[in-house]
């Protein structure tokens, strides 16, 4: 209001005096103060919209690796636009573009839930603990792995350190240079590795890293990625089973089975069969023959008519023995086992699941 009155007063004074010709150019050259403020505010907001998508590097100005890691970890909250995209886009439309992209992603996610397209797995770092194991010290990240399924489906969990993620990234880069060139990974730092800010950034970066790997079919089926998720769990479970710690081993076998169910392991039935063997042995040793028999039945369904498979006869023998103990029908499994023995495809008696589990080499 004040600027308009001032403008009218200047115009009236200029029209009465001889300086009317000079006043026009001066007014064009220097617009009103209110217009300057509006233009400046608009420019300021557009500049901010181009930089807010970056993770701030001012939290740790004295760290040389901070800029690299900040760029790799962004965006932390997933507004859908990276810093590079925001910098390339026209400044006035930066915020509108990011909002539109977020809405499009939400609509796509809602529509994909009702289609036959496999949904991506979700990864969430649920805890990150600093472990002191002299002379080493590292951060152990625990991730929940959640896939499509009923709402009450239990998530699987894995615990990995930075070096595990780095080894996976290095192996995949060596095998899949093309797809891996577009996937970022947080770089090593020389210091401040154990601050809350660094751990939080790496947690978000690891979630995004695994999510990106799962989004590319070629990478999702890579053996190295399957090993990253499942192999450490299987090795620990096997070690505990061999030492007689069946209750602790049972939890690891169950988590390994949940992981393979979530991932949809494409590497054949051997690891699922080994997992079912571990579950059956632990349930049997913990006096739960019903669960042990259910695991044997599930394994026999996976095996089908595959002959000769080293797991077939042990699972048949376990199924016959557990069925007899529970008073259930065992004739089909008994006849199939007898046919294998008569054909010379398995010794009499066949090795037990526990013997097979101890001898199995996990590599």
């Amino acid at each position: 209001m004040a600027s308009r009155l001032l403008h009218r007063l200047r115009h009236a004074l200029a029209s009465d005096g001889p300086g009317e010709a000079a006043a026009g150019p001066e007014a064009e050259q220097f617009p009103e103060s209110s217009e300057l403020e509006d233009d400046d505010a608009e420019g300021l907001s557009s500049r901010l919209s181009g930089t807010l998508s970056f993770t701030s590097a001012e939290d740790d100005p004295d760290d040389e690796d901070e800029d690299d890691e900040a760029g790799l970890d962004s965006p932390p909250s997933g507004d859908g636009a990276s810093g590079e995209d925001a910098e390339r886009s026209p400044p006035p439309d930066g915020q509108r573009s990011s909002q539109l992209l977020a809405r499009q992603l939400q609509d796509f996610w809602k529509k994909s839930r009702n289609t036959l397209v496999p949904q991506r797995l979700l990864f969430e770092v649920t805890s990150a603990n600093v472990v002191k194991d002299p002379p080493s010290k590292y951060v152990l990240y625990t991730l929940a792995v959640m896939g499509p399924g009923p709402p009450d489906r239990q998530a699987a969990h894995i615990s990995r350190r930075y070096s595990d993620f780095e080894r996976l990234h290095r192996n995949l880069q060596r095998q899949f240079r093309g797809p891996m060139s577009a996937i970022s990974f947080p770089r090593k730092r020389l210091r401040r590795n154990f601050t809350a800010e660094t751990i939080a950034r790496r947690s978000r970066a690891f979630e995004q890293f695994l999510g990106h790997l799962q989004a590319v079919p070629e990478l999702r089926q890579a053996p190295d990625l399957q090993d990253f998720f499942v192999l450490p769990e299987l090795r620990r479970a096997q070690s505990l089973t061999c030492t007689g710690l069946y209750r602790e081993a049972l939890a690891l076998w169950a988590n390994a089975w949940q992981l393979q169910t979530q991932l949809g392991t494409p590497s054949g039935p051997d690891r699922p069969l080994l997992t079912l063997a571990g579950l059956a042995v632990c349930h049997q040793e913990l006096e739960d023959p019903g669960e042990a028999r259910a695991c044997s039945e599930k394994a026999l369904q996976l095996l089908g008519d595959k002959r000769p498979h080293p797991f077939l006869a042990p699972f048949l023998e376990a199924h016959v023995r557990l069925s007899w103990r529970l008073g259930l029908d065992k004739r089909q499994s008994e006849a199939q086992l007898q046919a294998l023995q008569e054909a010379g495809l398995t010794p009499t008696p066949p090795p037990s699941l526990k013997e097979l589990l101890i001898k199995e080499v996990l590599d």
Side-chain angles (χ1 to χ4, degrees), residues 5 27 61 64 81 90 95 115 131 157 205 227 246 268 271 295 330 337 354:
L5 292 175
E64 297 179 357
Q95 292 179 342
T115 64
V131 178
H157 293 83
D227 289 347
Y246 299 112
R271 284 184 179 171
C295 293
K330 58 182 176 60
L337 179 59
K354 189 174 181 180

Side-chain angles (χ1 to χ4, degrees), residues 30 111 118 159 169 221 233 238 343 359:
F30 299 101
K111 292 178 182 178
S159 295
H169 180 254
Q221 299 177 4
E233 314 305 311
Q238 184 188 42
K359 295 178 181 178

Side-chain angles (χ1 to χ4, degrees), residues 209-271:
F209 173 65
L210 294 177
H212 292 162
L213 294 181
Q214 282 291 319
V216 181
E218 188 178 4
L219 299 175
R220 183 169 61 243
Q221 299 177 4
D224 283 290
L225 183 58
Q226 299 295 325
D227 289 347
F228 172 82
F229 284 111
V230 180
L231 193 55
E233 314 305 311
L234 294 179
R235 284 174 174 166
R236 287 198 292 268
Q238 184 188 42
S239 176
L240 290 173
T241 305
C242 293
T243 55
L245 299 175
Y246 299 112
R247 194 167 300 279
E248 293 82 355
L250 179 61
L252 290 176
W253 288 119
N255 187 62
W257 176 257
Q258 188 71 15
L259 275 171
Q260 293 170 83
T261 304
Q262 302 272 26
L263 295 169
T265 308
S267 56
D270 286 351
R271 284 184 179 171

Side-chain angles (χ1 to χ4, degrees), residues 66-316:
E66 180 68 15
D67 291 339
D68 294 334
E69 187 166 344
L72 290 167
D73 289 352
S74 64
S77 58
D79 62 353
S82 66
E84 187 178 354
D85 293 337
E87 200 171 15
R88 286 200 302 263
S89 61
D93 298 333
Q95 292 179 342
R96 288 196 295 270
S97 299
S98 63
Q99 293 173 358
L100 177 61
L101 179 59
R103 285 197 299 269
Q104 289 174 342
L105 289 173
Q106 291 173 356
D107 293 340
F108 175 77
W109 176 260
K110 291 177 182 178
K111 292 178 182 178
S112 66
R113 284 164 42 177
N114 300 323
T115 64
L116 297 178
V117 179
Q119 296 183 29
R120 288 174 53 183
L121 293 177
L122 299 178
F123 304 96
E124 180 183 359
V125 176
T126 57
S127 66
N129 301 311
V130 178
V131 178
K132 295 181 180 180
D133 187 14
S136 63
K137 179 182 177 182
Y138 58 89
V139 180
L140 192 65
Y141 299 88
T142 299
L143 293 98
V145 183
M146 296 162 284
D152 57 346
R153 188 172 188 175
Q154 188 177 3
H157 293 83
I158 59 173
S159 295
R160 303 289 183 268
R161 51 192 292 185
Y162 179 90
S163 58
D164 298 321
F165 286 96
E166 185 188 32
R167 188 182 307 108
L168 172 64
H169 180 254
R170 186 171 60 249
N171 292 341
L172 291 177
Q173 265 192 329
R174 202 161 41 232
Q175 301 172 44
F176 306 97
R177 292 186 177 274
M180 287 298 295
S181 61
I183 297 180
S184 299
F185 185 79
R187 299 179 183 176
K188 278 188 175 180
R189 302 183 58 176
L190 298 179
R191 50 184 174 172
R192 297 180 64 85
N193 285 310
F194 304 103
T195 63
E197 293 81 4
T198 300
I199 293 174
R201 287 177 181 175
R202 283 185 172 176
S203 298
R204 302 291 82 80
F206 290 150
E207 292 172 356
Q208 295 174 8
F209 173 65
L210 294 177
H212 292 162
L213 294 181
Q214 282 291 319
V216 181
E218 188 178 4
L219 299 175
R220 183 169 61 243
Q221 299 177 4
D224 283 290
L225 183 58
Q226 299 295 325
D227 289 347
F228 172 82
F229 284 111
V230 180
L231 193 55
E233 314 305 311
L234 294 179
R235 284 174 174 166
R236 287 198 292 268
Q238 184 188 42
S239 176
L240 290 173
T241 305
C242 293
T243 55
L245 299 175
Y246 299 112
R247 194 167 300 279
E248 293 82 355
L250 179 61
L252 290 176
W253 288 119
N255 187 62
W257 176 257
Q258 188 71 15
L259 275 171
Q260 293 170 83
T261 304
Q262 302 272 26
L263 295 169
T265 308
S267 56
D270 286 351
R271 284 184 179 171
L273 288 173
L274 180 69
T275 307
L276 289 170
L279 288 169
V281 169
C282 291
H283 280 303
Q284 184 176 345
E285 295 292 339
L286 295 172
E287 297 299 327
D288 192 352
E291 287 294 330
R293 183 179 182 273
C295 293
S296 299
E297 280 190 341
K298 192 174 296 184
L300 292 174
Q301 292 173 2
L302 286 177
L303 283 166
D305 294 331
K306 295 176 182 177
R307 296 186 184 183
H309 195 283
F311 282 96
L312 180 56
F315 272 116
L316 285 171

Side-chain angles (χ1 to χ4, degrees), residues 333-349:
S333 298
E334 202 168 33
Q336 192 175 355
L337 179 59
Q338 186 176 356
L340 288 175
Q341 291 172 339
E342 291 176 354
L345 299 177
T346 185
T348 305

